[in-house]
Amino acid sequence: QVQLVESGGGLVQTGGSLRLACALSTSSTYATGWFRRAPGKEREFVAAITRSGGITYYADSVKGRFTISRDNAKNTVNLQMNSLKPEDTVVYYCGVSRRTIANMYLWGSYEYWGQGTQVTVSS
């Protein structure tokens, strides 16, 4: 079992920044992804990063605003969120796979999930 704990969510003004962190209980992972869930919708892909090589993936809606990174020494994956908009006001979840992932953009590709952290962007 892989434990994941998300943190860093909170309230920020439009145009502001937040830094989310996903603390992992193991370094033996293939990739870590950030997803978000809006009311009445499925989890939406935000960004992902592989453990080996640090290859990154981004949703078009956040590309240029969000940056995903990994601190392997701390077993932590971060999501730097800049230029936040009201539509970014959702719960963000961290997902991890220990297996090889063929499609990084699918939430079903990830085996383990954290509890989520709330991001609220005021307007």
Side-chain angles (χ1 to χ4, degrees), residues 42-72:
E42 296 289 328
R43 272 171 280 189
E44 175 191 17
F45 175 81
V46 177
I49 187 169
T50 63
R51 177 181 178 273
S52 179
I55 302 170
T56 58
Y57 305 77
Y58 294 96
D60 289 341
S61 60
V62 305
K63 201 167 188 177
R65 298 190 298 124
F66 293 5
T67 302
I68 190 169
S69 62
R70 175 184 287 277
D71 186 340
N72 287 336

Side-chain angles (χ1 to χ4, degrees), residues 26-110:
T26 180
S27 62
S28 299
T29 62
Y30 178 81
T32 301
W34 283 98
F35 290 73
R36 61 189 185 185
R37 187 192 294 274
K41 292 188 175 182
E42 296 289 328
R43 272 171 280 189
E44 175 191 17
F45 175 81
V46 177
I49 187 169
T50 63
R51 177 181 178 273
S52 179
I55 302 170
T56 58
Y57 305 77
Y58 294 96
D60 289 341
S61 60
V62 305
K63 201 167 188 177
R65 298 190 298 124
F66 293 5
T67 302
I68 190 169
S69 62
R70 175 184 287 277
D71 186 340
N72 287 336
K74 297 180 178 179
N75 291 331
T76 301
V77 174
N78 300 305
L79 184 68
Q80 180 66 45
M81 309 166 67
N82 299 325
S83 301
L84 284 164
K85 305 174 181 179
E87 55 257 45
D88 298 320
T89 300
V90 292
V91 178
Y92 287 73
Y93 297 88
C94 181
V96 170
S97 178
R98 304 188 72 168
R99 304 189 298 247
T100 301
I101 292 176
N103 190 336
M104 293 286 187
Y105 304 93
L106 300 178
W107 68 266
S109 296
Y110 301 83

Side-chain angles (χ1 to χ4, degrees), residues 106-120:
L106 300 178
W107 68 266
S109 296
Y110 301 83
E111 305 162 50
Y112 307 97
W113 295 94
Q115 81 289 346
T117 184
Q118 175 71 52
V119 170
T120 302

